[in-house]
Amino acid sequence: MAGRAAPKKMSHFARRAAGLLLSVLLLFLLLAPSATAGEVRLSVAASMTEVSKELISAFGKENPGTAVLPNFASSGALAKQIAQGAPADLYISANQRWMAYLIEKKGIVPQTVQVFAYNSLVFVGRGAKPLNSLKDIVSLSLLAIGSPKSVPAGQYAAQALRAVGVYEQLARDHKLVMAKDVRQALIYAERGEVDGAFVYRTDAMLARQAAVLLTVPAELHDRIAYPLGLTQSGARNRAAQAFFTFLQGPVAAEILAAYGFEPAARPVPEA
Amino acid sequence: MMLTLAPQDIEAIVLSLKVATASTLLSLPAGLGVAYVLAFTRFPGRALLEGLVNLPLVLPPVVVGYLLLLLFGQFGALGRLLSFWDLRIIFTLKGAVIASSVVGFPLLVRAIRIGMEGIDEHYLQAARTLGARWWDSIYTIILPLSGRAIVAGMTLMFARSLGEFGATIILAGNIPGVTQTIPLAIYEYTNTPGGDRMALSLCLVSIGLSLIVLLISEASVRSFRKR
Amino acid sequence: MLLEVDVAKKIGNFSFQAAFDLAGKKWGIFGPSGSGKSTLMHILAGLLTPDRGRITLDGVCLFDSKKKINLPPQQRRVGVVFQHAHLFPHMNVRRNLLYGWQRTPRAERQISPEAIIAALNLEHLLERGVDRLSGGERQRLALGRTVLSCPRLILMDEPLTGLDQELKFQIIPYLTKVLAQFDIPFLFISHSLEEIRLMTDEVLLFGQGRLEQRLTAEELARRDLVAGGRGYANLLHLSSPRPHGDLWSYRWGAAELILVEPGGKGDNLFELGAKDVTLFKRHPEATSARNLLPCRVSDLFGEGNRMGVDLLVKGSHLVSQIVPESVRELDLKKGSEVVAVIKASAFRRLY
C-alpha cells in the first residue's frame, strides 16, 4: 500500500511542476519579441538618432502597415550585439570597420552593403574662444571623445589627433574622457563638464549650449561614411527590404540633407 | 589559459584598488561615528538619519550617481562652492572615490552598528562604574568588542567599491588612468567587437581580487575570535 | 560613611520609593524578588535616574532633582559588583583588574594592586583570559576589580545568587576579608537570609518597592524563626579542632563543642538549627547527646506556637526553638539557668 501511495504523490507534484513550466514558457513565447511580417528592426549608429526617427516616420506614411523599431547605440556596441544574436534586420554603422566586422561574422549579407550618407567631424564646446588649429587642443584640460574602441566618431577623432601628433600626449596627460557613444560626448560638452568634445557636424547642429570651436580638417581622417546593410534575417524580411530601398531613395536623401548629412543617393534637387 | 592584460587594464586594476582603499579608509571615521550614534543614542530625527544613510542602498546606483552629479557638477550647490578653491569633483579620481564612498557607506554603517548593538550593555555599565567616561568606554570597550563587525563592514564596502559601476561612470566618467576602474574597463570591452578576451581576463582578475579580499576578511575575523 | 537617600521612581506598573540615612560599614538590602532591591542599586550607582529626590554620600551630592544635579556613574566613585561579574571578555585578568585603578586619580589611590592580588589569590591567574576562569575565580576577580577602583562605597548586587553552596562559602571569606582589610563600606543586596547574616550587620528590608523596616541581621533571622519557614539557624564560628575519641572537639568562644565532622585549621563556620537545641531544667544524667552546655537565658522572643530562647553560653549566644508550653513547664525567664543539649551530628559545616 505504501509503495502505491508514493509514486502517486510524486506524479502529482511532477504534473504541477510541468504545468507551471509550460505556462511560463507560453508566457515567454507570447511576450518574446519576434519579428512578425510588417515589422522591421533597425540597429543604427547613435549619431543618426534624430534623422532616423524622421526617416522612419516618413516611411511609415508611405507604408502604414509596417512598424520600424530602432535601436540606437555606438556602432561598435551594435555590431557586437548583432554578432551575439540580437535581432536586427538592418544595420547602419558610422564607419566601415564595424560593417566589415559583421560581414566577417556572417551577420550581414555582403552584397547588400551600401554607403548611403557622409558626415564631417567637428570639435564643440561651451568655451568662448574658438581654436585656431587642431594642435591647440593640448592647451585644454579635459575633452570628451567617443571611446575609440567602439565609437566611430572617437576613432575618426583619434585618427585626426594622431595625424597631428597630439593623441599620445593627451592620453598620457589623462585629458580624454571616454564616452560610450557620440551623443554622450556631446552631452558632456553641453553640460560644460569638459572643455569640448569631438562630435559630428550633424550633432553640433542639435547642440544648444555648445558651439563649434573647430572643424576637423577632413584630410586628417578616413572619410566618415555610413554603410547600410541587411542582416541575414533582414534579407528574408520583405518589409525590411522595402525600408532598405527607401533609405537610398530621394525622400530619404532630402531628410538626410536637412539634418546636415551628405547623402550618397541622388543629389538633392536644387531648391 | 592566458591572461591578456593591456597596460590600460593594469592601470584599471591599480585604480580599482586605489579607489576601493581610499573610499573605505576615508569613510571609516564617519561610519564609526554614525554607527555609534544610531546604536547608542536616541534623539528626535534619528529615523531620518537612518533613512538617509540607508538611501544609497535602495536607490539604483545610476540614480545615486546622477544626484551626486547634480550636487557636484558645475552648477550644483557643492560644485560651485568647491570651484572657488579650484577643486573639481566630476571626472576626477576624487569623484570616483566619492561615488564608491556614498554607495558603500550604508553597508559599512549597517555592519558596524549591528556589531555595536550586540555588545552586552552590562559591560558598558561596569566600565562606567569603574570610572570610564563615554569616549573612554568607546575606545576601550565598544571598539575592541565590535572589531569583528568593523572588519566585516570594511570588507563589504571594499568589495562593493571594487564592483561599483553606475554611480562611478556618471559622476567620474570613463577616463583611462584616472577613473576607469575594472568594471568600467570591462564595460568598454563588452561594447568592443573582439574585446571578449580582454573582458574575460579582467573578469578573472576581478574574481581573484574579490576572493583575496574575502580570505583576508575571514582571517582577520578569526584572529579576533582567538583573542 | 554616611549615605542619605530620598528617592522615588516609577517604571511602568512598578513604583519604588525609599528614604533612609545610613551610617556604618556593613549594610544589607534584603527582600524577595521584585521588591525593588535592584532598582535601588541602579539608582545609587547612577545607572538609573530617579524621578525625584536626593542622594548624598559623605556630604557629596550625587543627585538632586531640585538643583538638577545628577552625577554620571563615572564620577560617583560608587563601585558595583554585579551578579554575573561582567568581566571584560577582551581583556585578560590583569587588565580587568586594573581597569578601575587606572581611572582613579592618583591622589585617591588608597589601595595597592599588589595587596588585592595577594588577598584574593589572583597572582597565578594574571595573564589568563577571563573566559578560562572558574566561577569562584570570576567573582574574586570582579570583587578585586571593583575594590581597586577605590570607591567610597561598594554595592554588591546579589553577587552570590545562583552559585552553589560550596562555591558560595569559598568566596564569602574572601569578601569579608578584603572588605574588612581595606575598610570599604558596602551595601550587600540579596534575597538569601544566610548571605545577609554572614556579610552584614544591619539590614534594610524591602518589599513591593518600599522600605519596610530597618533591623539588624540577627533580628531579621529571628523574625524568620517566628514566621515559620526554615527556622533559625545558629551560625557558630569554631576553631582548633582536636580529636576526641572518634569525634572532634572544637573551641567555641570560651566553651567547647563535640562534633562528628572534622574541620580546618582556621576559622570554621558551622550551622546548627535552633530546633536541634533541646533544653533541660537540670543536667541530664545519661543521654546520647555529646554536648551538655550549662547556660543562662538572656532573652525570650516569638509569638504563636514558636518561641525562641536566646541562651548565653560562656559569653557566646545560642538560640533554641521550643514551644510556649515548654516555656511554661520549665518556667523559663530571663536569667533562668538551664542546660542546652546538642547532638554531635546536629552541626553542619559551611566552611
Side-chain angles (χ1 to χ4, degrees):
Chain A
M1 298 308 137
R4 198 173 290 171
K8 203 169 167 195
K9 206 169 164 189
M10 258 176 67
S11 82
H12 168 73
F13 176 75
R15 246 186 296 128
R16 284 189 68 183
L20 190 66
L21 196 64
L22 204 64
S23 21
V24 169
L25 245 113
L26 218 65
L27 208 68
F28 191 66
L29 284 171
L30 283 172
L31 295 177
S34 56
T36 56
E39 206 176 80
V40 181
R41 293 186 174 274
L42 172 68
S43 283
V44 52
S47 51
M48 281 205 161
T49 303
E50 285 75 16
V51 70
S52 295
K53 289 184 185 155
E54 182 152 342
L55 286 168
I56 289 170
S57 140
F59 177 75
K61 287 207 194 81
E62 293 178 16
N63 303 272
T66 310
V68 180
L69 309 166
N71 174 21
F72 305 109
S74 74
S75 312
L78 291 170
K80 192 93 184 288
Q81 288 171 7
I82 296 172
Q84 281 169 344
D89 298 311
L90 284 104
Y91 172 56
I92 299 175
S93 170
N95 68 3
Q96 302 278 21
R97 179 172 158 194
W98 299 141
M99 187 61 80
Y101 167 81
L102 266 184
I103 291 174
E104 191 195 310
K105 295 275 179 190
K106 310 260 196 290
I108 293 281
V109 179
Q111 299 87 330
T112 63
V113 175
Q114 302 278 343
V115 172
F116 85 119
Y118 297 96
N119 209 340
S120 49
L121 195 69
V122 297
F123 185 75
V124 300
R126 286 175 68 141
K129 51 174 167 61
L131 296 163
N132 289 328
S133 80
L134 193 56
K135 276 207 186 134
D136 294 344
I137 292 279
V138 284
S139 66
L140 302 172
S141 48
L142 206 60
L143 44 126
I145 177 177
S147 172
K149 290 202 186 95
S150 57
V151 183
Q155 284 162 357
Y156 294 126
Q159 194 180 17
L161 289 169
R162 280 210 177 84
V164 295
V166 299
Y167 186 76
E168 302 302 321
Q169 187 183 350
L170 287 170
R172 253 200 331 265
D173 296 339
H174 301 309
K175 289 185 175 177
L176 301 170
V177 182
M178 299 293 160
K180 70 169 168 57
D181 53 45
V182 71
R183 282 305 157 79
Q184 193 179 53
L186 179 64
I187 301 263
Y188 287 157
E190 287 264 273
R191 288 208 286 247
E193 289 157 14
V194 294
D195 294 323
F198 283 100
V199 300
Y200 296 122
R201 177 177 299 286
T202 50
D203 301 310
M205 285 168 63
L206 298 166
R208 299 215 203 123
Q209 311 264 36
V212 176
L213 300 177
L214 172 73
T215 304
V216 179
E219 61 269 17
L220 293 177
H221 56 79
D222 295 338
R223 188 149 191 224
I224 301 175
Y226 287 81
L228 156 72
L230 280 168
T231 65
Q232 304 287 358
S233 65
R236 296 192 295 268
N237 183 335
R238 266 238 282 271
Q241 285 167 356
F243 188 57
F244 179 75
T245 313
F246 170 79
L247 286 176
Q248 297 172 73
V251 179
E254 203 175 320
I255 297 175
L256 285 166
Y259 275 83
F261 292 89
E262 198 190 313
R266 261 163 279 189
V268 177
E270 298 289 304
Chain B
M1 191 173 53
M2 267 275 285
L3 265 182
T4 34
L5 291 175
Q8 198 177 327
D9 300 336
I10 309 279
E11 258 185 337
I13 296 171
V14 169
L15 212 54
S16 271
L17 290 171
K18 265 199 222 171
V19 170
T21 309
S23 62
T24 305
L25 290 179
L26 289 173
S27 304
L28 190 59
L32 286 170
V34 172
Y36 176 82
V37 164
L38 289 178
F40 292 108
T41 64
R42 301 268 176 280
F43 60 90
R46 187 168 161 269
L48 190 64
L49 176 66
E50 207 174 332
L52 219 66
V53 166
N54 282 326
L55 201 58
L57 203 55
V58 294
L59 284 178
V62 284
V63 173
V64 175
Y66 188 63
L67 292 174
L68 286 173
L69 185 63
L70 291 177
L71 187 64
F72 285 106
Q74 289 242 326
F75 307 107
L78 284 182
R80 266 188 297 198
L81 190 64
L82 288 170
S83 64
F84 250 138
W85 293 295
D86 238 356
L87 282 172
R88 201 185 66 208
I89 297 294
I90 52 174
F91 290 178
T92 62
L93 182 62
K94 299 188 204 69
V97 173
I98 290 180
S100 278
S101 302
V102 172
V103 158
F105 194 69
L107 293 170
L108 184 70
V109 169
R110 184 172 282 252
I112 298 181
R113 175 190 173 175
I114 289 178
M116 285 184 174
E117 283 174 347
I119 299 176
D120 191 344
E121 66 161 343
H122 289 117
Y123 295 136
L124 297 170
Q125 285 183 346
R128 293 262 147 76
T129 61
L130 292 168
R133 288 165 211 268
W134 66 270
W135 32 266
D136 190 345
S137 63
I138 291 179
Y139 190 66
T140 56
I141 309 285
I142 295 180
L143 283 186
L145 287 179
S146 42
R148 269 165 67 187
I150 296 176
V151 169
M154 287 174 70
T155 306
L156 264 175
M157 181 164 181
F158 189 86
R160 176 71 184 82
S161 169
L162 281 182
E164 177 23 53
F165 177 80
T168 307
I169 199 169
I170 292 195
L171 183 63
N174 187 7
I175 308 175
V178 180
T179 66
Q180 191 182 63
T181 52
I182 296 176
L184 268 62
I186 294 179
Y187 179 64
E188 202 172 64
Y189 279 128
T190 59
N191 275 342
T192 308
D196 290 302
R197 211 169 52 177
M198 317 290 276
L200 206 61
S201 302
L202 274 178
C203 279
L204 287 173
V205 171
S206 185
I207 293 173
L209 279 177
S210 304
L211 279 174
I212 292 176
V213 169
L214 267 172
L215 286 173
I216 293 180
S217 156
E218 284 298 304
S220 57
V221 163
R222 231 175 291 132
S223 86
F224 268 104
R225 206 171 284 156
K226 275 208 198 99
R227 264 189 252 149
Chain C
M1 95 121 171
L2 179 61
L3 178 67
E4 296 160 288
V5 176
D6 181 3
V7 293
K9 176 81 181 170
K10 197 162 179 355
I11 308 171
N13 279 333
F14 178 71
S15 92
F16 175 86
Q17 198 233 313
F20 54 87
D21 294 347
L22 295 184
K25 292 252 190 320
K26 296 157 75 170
W27 277 89
I29 310 280
F30 183 76
S33 307
S35 53
K37 312 188 296 294
S38 198
T39 310
L40 177 64
M41 187 285 278
H42 283 82
I43 287 178
L44 290 176
L47 297 169
L48 185 63
T49 305
D51 297 332
R52 57 162 181 81
R54 264 186 93 233
I55 303 173
T56 313
L57 176 60
D58 290 340
V60 175
C61 180
L62 301 182
F63 175 79
D64 190 327
S65 57
K66 286 209 198 77
K67 293 195 201 143
K68 302 255 195 287
I69 301 178
N70 184 10
L71 284 188
Q74 55 268 28
Q75 290 177 30
R76 290 198 181 194
R77 307 284 308 288
V78 171
V80 180
V81 178
F82 295 89
Q83 183 177 349
H84 297 294
H86 298 308
L87 304 172
F88 301 130
H90 58 295
M91 299 185 191
N92 63 7
V93 170
R94 178 198 299 275
R95 286 181 62 201
N96 261 283
L97 206 53
L98 295 175
Y99 192 85
W101 195 73
Q102 287 164 342
R103 282 152 185 80
T104 308
R106 257 173 232 276
E108 321 226 8
R109 286 181 184 167
Q110 321 274 10
I111 303 170
S112 84
E114 291 76 29
I116 288 289
I117 293 170
L120 290 169
N121 268 345
L122 294 172
E123 222 146 63
H124 59 292
L125 296 171
L126 286 176
E127 302 307 320
R128 207 181 278 196
V130 296
D131 54 340
R132 293 188 303 142
L133 297 176
S134 70
E137 289 162 346
R138 292 176 68 84
Q139 285 301 73
R140 276 159 38 207
L141 175 56
L143 176 66
R145 180 176 74 172
T146 305
V147 169
L148 268 178
S149 66
C150 306
R152 286 193 278 245
L153 168 69
I154 289 190
L155 306 172
M156 288 190 270
D157 187 8
E158 310 217 29
L160 304 173
T161 304
L163 303 179
D164 60 50
Q165 289 293 88
E166 196 181 314
L167 196 51
K168 262 196 221 192
F169 292 113
Q170 218 182 77
I171 298 174
I172 287 181
Y174 282 108
L175 284 178
T176 44
K177 180 173 71 156
V178 165
L179 292 166
Q181 181 180 341
F182 296 98
D183 205 24
I184 308 176
F186 63 86
L187 291 186
F188 187 90
I189 300 166
S190 177
H191 61 268
S192 156
L193 180 57
E194 191 175 65
E195 291 170 23
I196 290 279
R197 287 182 69 192
L198 288 173
M199 293 292 305
T200 68
D201 293 337
E202 299 178 75
V203 181
L204 293 177
L205 182 61
F206 275 85
Q208 286 174 336
R210 296 282 182 280
L211 173 60
E212 285 179 357
Q213 210 180 343
R214 287 169 71 132
L215 62 173
T216 65
E218 180 62 28
E219 286 165 354
L220 186 64
R222 292 198 183 176
R223 241 182 44 145
D224 208 51
L225 183 158
V226 175
R230 290 209 339 219
Y232 183 93
N234 286 291
L235 296 171
L236 309 173
H237 290 268
L238 310 180
S239 56
S240 315
R242 277 170 296 117
H244 184 96
D246 51 4
L247 298 171
W248 296 85
S249 155
Y250 287 80
R251 268 235 309 271
W252 176 44
E256 192 191 321
L257 289 174
I258 311 291
L259 274 71
V260 168
E261 274 191 64
K265 266 203 288 247
D267 176 41
N268 295 276
L269 187 66
F270 279 86
E271 191 183 53
L272 172 67
K275 299 176 190 169
D276 294 329
V277 180
T278 315
L279 300 180
F280 280 72
K281 198 77 179 141
R282 271 177 292 277
H283 198 289
E285 292 299 337
T287 161
S288 64
R290 298 290 86 202
N291 293 290
L292 304 149
L293 307 164
C295 49
R296 185 192 318 235
V297 174
S298 85
D299 193 17
L300 288 157
F301 62 92
E303 55 189 56
N305 58 3
R306 289 183 201 87
M307 293 293 288
V309 186
D310 185 8
L311 305 158
L312 206 55
V313 183
K314 290 194 180 157
S316 307
H317 282 265
L318 186 69
V319 171
S320 165
Q321 180 178 335
I322 59 178
V323 291
E325 199 179 290
S326 305
V327 174
R328 287 193 297 275
E329 268 187 29
L330 275 72
D331 190 28
L332 294 177
K333 295 189 289 284
K334 274 218 188 97
S336 304
E337 307 258 354
V338 291
V339 178
V341 173
I342 313 165
K343 295 174 73 164
S345 55
F347 299 84
R348 189 169 76 96
R349 183 161 183 263
L350 295 182
Y351 66 81

